[in-house]
Amino acid sequence: MNATPPTQKSTNTYKSRIRRLTQYGLLLALLLVCVALSVVTPKFLTVQNLTIIVTQVSINALLAFGVTFVIITGGIDLSIGSIVAVVGVVAATFAHPDTYPVIVPVLVGLLTGVGFGAFNGFVITRSNVPPFIVTLGTMTIGRGLALILSKGRPISNLSDEFNFIGGGKILGIPTLILVLIATFAVCATLLRKTVLGRYMYAIGGNQQAARASGIEPARVIMAVYTLCGGLAALAGILLTSRISTGQPNVGVGLELDAIAAAIIGGSSTSGGSGTITGTLIGALLIGVISNGLDLLNVSSYYQEVVMGAIIIGAVVLDGLNRSRNR
């Protein structure tokens, strides 16, 4: 029977406390921003506006969940924005009225995203090329394919059933919010309660040690990138349904927003740390700040500056935490 050494147990407990403090601090920051915006503008704290915020955050949060898995293993995925675009074009092609059942464009879109993710994982695990370079190449390929398949034009005239997926409501609740809640529950459970989740942390923390303990990093990394591609596909289908058009140019910059949400939510850029709950709070914080700046009529140019400053601040804090842990 293997017992955890006292020193390692103490270190794990310390890291666990740090993660909890990070999440509580982030949640407190989110609440403080909400209170401040409620005081500054009465339009903020309304059911309609809060619903709009969560709806707008949904797409970014889905992408950020996938990126969180990748970052925990020590990788990065820059291709998810392009996957959103090519999946949207592919799904829209099969979503015209009186052609195919609505399940067809959904499945074809999901398979497309999963294929891109599996391709990323395959190349990364079979070569020594860094994930940053591989997914940068896939990002360009995806964007090009979206333009080729759509001939550079939006694909419109989608069926009502397909448009309902991302634009409808069930019992008065937008479907995007319902999908976000369900996906959050699945991803959080996967990361916290399954063997795959534990392997992600192990590989991100120390890949050599993980391999020595019997874990096959290549299989886990392959699964993680495939999962990330699948979540990007889900986001692409929902976004296409919501705007009722397959846009080949959609999704530009979404990968940066997703990475920002994961990092702000506590995912360490060096791997081995991060939670789905933290990522969701990070996405909500970005959405609330963006919505607040809109309500205050702040120019979108300044909004970009503010978001960039927040990302830099989150990365700096992550670096300081890692320095203390050494």
Side-chain angles (χ1 to χ4, degrees), residues 33-34 36-38 40-45 49 52-53 56 257 284-311:
V33 171
C34 289
L37 288 173
S38 302
V40 173
T41 169
K43 296 178 182 177
F44 176 78
L45 198 59
N49 188 54
I52 290 173
I53 292 174
Q56 291 177 337
D257 292 340
L284 286 171
L285 183 60
I286 291 175
V288 166
I289 293 174
S290 178
N291 176 267
L293 293 176
D294 282 336
L295 292 178
L296 295 173
N297 294 320
V298 176
S299 166
S300 60
Y301 302 148
Y302 289 99
Q303 292 187 30
E304 296 292 335
V305 174
V306 171
M307 290 302 168
I310 292 174
I311 294 170

Side-chain angles (χ1 to χ4, degrees), residues 1-22:
M1 181 176 177
N2 295 326
T4 304
T7 305
Q8 183 181 348
K9 188 176 181 180
S10 175
T11 303
N12 291 339
T13 304
Y14 175 74
K15 288 183 177 180
S16 177
R17 287 176 180 171
I18 290 294
R19 280 198 294 271
R20 283 199 295 270
L21 285 174
T22 301

Side-chain angles (χ1 to χ4, degrees), residues 2 11 27 45 50 57 107 111 141 158 191 199 211 217 245 254 272 318:
N2 295 326
T11 303
L27 186 60
L45 198 59
L50 294 178
V57 161
L107 286 179
L111 288 173
I141 292 172
L158 309 185
L191 194 56
Y199 284 2
R211 183 179 287 108
T245 309
L254 284 181
D318 173 53

Side-chain angles (χ1 to χ4, degrees), residues 177-187:
I177 296 179
L178 295 174
V179 173
L180 172 63
I181 294 172
T183 308
F184 167 77
V186 171
C187 291

